[in-house]
Amino acid sequence: MLETILLDEMAVERALKRISHEIIERNKGVDNLVLIGVRTRGVPMAEKIRSNINLLENADIPFGKLDIKMYRDDLTEVSEMPIVSDTNIPFSVQGKDVILCDDVLFTGRTVRAAIEAIMSLGRPKSIQLAVLIDRGHRELPIRADYVGKNIPTSLNEVVSVKFMDVDGVQNVALNKK
């Protein structure tokens, strides 16, 4: 399998810093913000954005982790007995500007499931989507508010995002199926 590195560690960091600045600018500060990372790699992405915002604004942004497995529309195709990780959102989303973080935006189905999961917790003021990679091929009318990089792909390619905390290396690679 041929792998092409699209973003190295520094390029990932630059993209996440830019997204962090854009979030602050668009929301005119951080007073009403909460960050939620979609498991698995949306979590370290959200943690990095949170760290960047905390440094820039000297503010401690609430942070949560979301497991969307039970909200997927293909649950029976994934597994007979899906393993549900912990959703840990130790704050109310009611009236908040939720920044939903995920590593790759592809068909939009993961985002749809994440929005449904968040709405089951309360009614946020807004839900904004931050993704490191937008690879196209949407099946649902979903677009990201913040994008690290748009990477046009074919359906026989796979975008692989790796973060140091999860994978021991940080980059974005393109592989053939």
Side-chain angles (χ1 to χ4, degrees), residues 4-161:
T4 304
I5 301 296
L6 301 173
L7 298 175
D8 64 12
E9 183 174 0
M10 290 308 297
V12 170
E13 289 297 325
R14 280 191 300 275
L16 294 176
K17 284 181 182 170
R18 181 176 42 77
I19 289 171
S20 303
H21 281 280
E22 290 173 3
I23 289 169
I24 294 166
E25 185 176 333
R26 177 174 176 175
N27 291 282
K28 298 175 178 57
V30 298
D31 292 340
N32 201 44
L33 290 185
V34 297
L35 282 165
I36 297 177
V38 177
R39 291 192 183 267
T40 295
R41 286 173 185 79
V43 171
M45 178 183 163
E47 288 174 327
K48 287 178 175 292
I49 290 171
R50 178 183 189 217
S51 177
N52 290 338
I53 290 174
N54 288 351
L55 285 172
L56 292 166
E57 294 290 306
N58 194 26
D60 191 18
I61 306 300
F63 167 73
K65 302 172 185 180
L66 182 65
D67 183 349
I68 55 114
K69 283 186 189 76
M70 297 308 293
Y71 292 89
R72 292 180 59 118
D73 59 3
D74 61 350
L75 188 60
T76 56
E77 295 173 27
V78 175
S79 172
E80 293 272 331
M81 294 292 294
I83 298 168
V84 179
S85 302
D86 289 23
T87 287
N88 182 9
I89 301 178
F91 50 82
S92 172
V93 299
Q94 192 71 32
K96 296 295 185 181
D97 292 305
V98 174
I99 309 298
L100 178 64
C101 299
D102 201 9
D103 57 345
V104 178
L105 178 55
F106 183 31
T107 63
R109 293 187 179 277
T110 297
V111 175
R112 184 217 47 89
I115 290 169
E116 189 176 329
I118 290 168
M119 296 300 285
S120 75
L121 300 172
R123 185 174 180 169
K125 179 180 173 192
S126 70
I127 299 175
Q128 300 166 38
L129 177 60
V131 298
L132 183 57
I133 304 297
D134 183 343
R135 64 169 289 190
H137 304 286
R138 218 73 77 239
E139 294 174 5
L140 300 173
I142 291 175
R143 81 171 168 78
D145 299 281
Y146 312 99
V147 178
K149 188 164 183 73
N150 287 292
I151 299 175
T153 62
S154 72
L155 291 174
N156 69 344
E157 294 174 315
V158 176
V159 175
S160 173
V161 174

